[in-house]
Amino acid sequence: ADIDAMADARSALRWVRSHATQLGVDPDRIVAAGGSSGGHIALSAAVFDTFAEAGEDTTVSAKPNALVLFNPAVDTSQNRLFGDRGRDGSPLHHLRSGLPPTLILHGKADMTVPYAQVDQFCSDAQALGNQCRLVGYDGAPHGFFNPRRGDDKWYRETLLEADRFLTSLGYLPRT
């Protein structure tokens, strides 16, 4: 993930929202989701009001209405991919109130994005009045949610958790 990818994510959300009728989607129920760096850029679209492509129609909101994040990078302040702009692109360092409801699914054995960072992010977000739910998975490493040959336990569990979250928001019908 980097600053350009953050702007691209915001452009994509604006495009979906401005084409909602053609796409058959509700422009007020757009969920951004992603894992690892994809989780970072989805989260960034919600946290930052900056980072836009030149000439873009900024009257169309780039903010998702909900987030489902899988082991997202929340602190990029020490990330070499950002060069000297790591803190500029760090959601943890730019938290504010008014974020969309957020579900974070994270492995407790993640060595790439430490669970403690994500726990701090979610706690700090809640302290600002945001809805943030962190579900930790014991023994799960980075990328744990991807199906593996012969073992898709965490894949199924995380999808069910995301389904419950989106159902609780009224985005999916109760069955």
Side-chain angles (χ1 to χ4, degrees):
D2 62 20
I3 301 295
D4 291 337
M6 293 163 63
D8 289 345
R10 292 177 55 76
S11 293
L13 285 158
R14 281 192 176 103
W15 187 88
V16 169
R17 187 162 277 121
S18 65
H19 292 84
T21 302
Q22 297 131 287
L23 296 170
V25 300
D26 183 338
D28 298 320
R29 291 184 178 190
I30 296 175
V31 179
S36 193
S37 62
H40 171 264
I41 62 172
L43 176 58
S44 295
V47 171
F48 297 100
D49 289 327
T50 53
F51 308 118
E53 299 292 342
E56 207 160 57
D57 182 359
T58 56
T59 63
V60 177
S61 174
K63 185 176 172 181
N65 301 96
L67 294 166
V68 176
L69 308 174
F70 301 83
N71 54 254
V74 296
D75 180 358
T76 60
S77 62
Q78 303 301 312
N79 190 312
R80 292 172 308 196
L81 295 175
F82 284 80
D84 61 356
R85 297 193 66 192
R87 192 173 175 95
D88 293 345
S90 180
L92 180 64
H93 294 90
H94 293 87
L95 266 171
R96 58 187 171 82
S97 61
L99 297 180
T102 302
L103 172 65
I104 301 176
L105 307 161
H106 207 88
K108 290 186 175 180
D110 191 330
M111 302 300 285
T112 304
V113 178
Y115 184 82
Q117 277 183 0
V118 178
D119 188 37
Q120 179 187 351
F121 173 87
C122 208
S123 295
D124 291 355
Q126 290 169 344
L128 291 168
N130 297 300
Q131 179 186 341
C132 186
R133 179 161 183 257
L134 172 60
V135 180
Y137 295 83
D138 290 326
H142 193 72
F144 73 100
F145 54 87
N146 291 309
R148 289 167 173 72
R149 187 180 321 209
D151 179 17
D152 63 353
K153 174 185 173 228
W154 282 326
Y155 174 76
R156 285 192 321 273
E157 285 183 23
T158 56
L159 284 182
L160 286 171
E161 199 64 52
D163 186 79
R164 283 189 285 270
F165 174 69
L166 295 173
T167 300
S168 76
L169 297 177
Y171 287 26
L172 294 176
R174 295 196 183 277
T175 56

